[in-house]
Amino acid sequence: MSMSYDVEIKLDEADRAAELDDVRYTEEQVFGRVRERLIDSHRNLPEHI
C-alpha cells in the first residue's frame, strides 16, 4: 500500500468523523497539531536515519 493511499484513507475517515461532530477547528488548530506530531516524530527517529 502506498503512503498516498494511506493519507487518502485517513482524510476520508476525518471527513466522515467531521460530518458526525458539531465541533469545528480553525485551520491553525488542525495544521498546528499536525505540525507538532511531525516534529515529535522527527525527534524520536534514531540518529543514524
Side-chain angles (χ1 to χ4, degrees), residues 19-31:
E19 289 175 359
L20 300 174
D21 198 332
D22 292 335
V23 176
R24 295 294 177 252
Y25 298 99
T26 66
E27 180 179 333
E28 183 55 38
Q29 289 172 311
V30 172
F31 290 104

Side-chain angles (χ1 to χ4, degrees), residues 34-45:
V34 170
R35 194 169 20 266
E36 287 174 13
R37 288 183 182 199
L38 289 171
I39 290 168
D40 287 345
S41 294
H42 181 69
R43 285 185 188 139
N44 294 325
L45 288 175

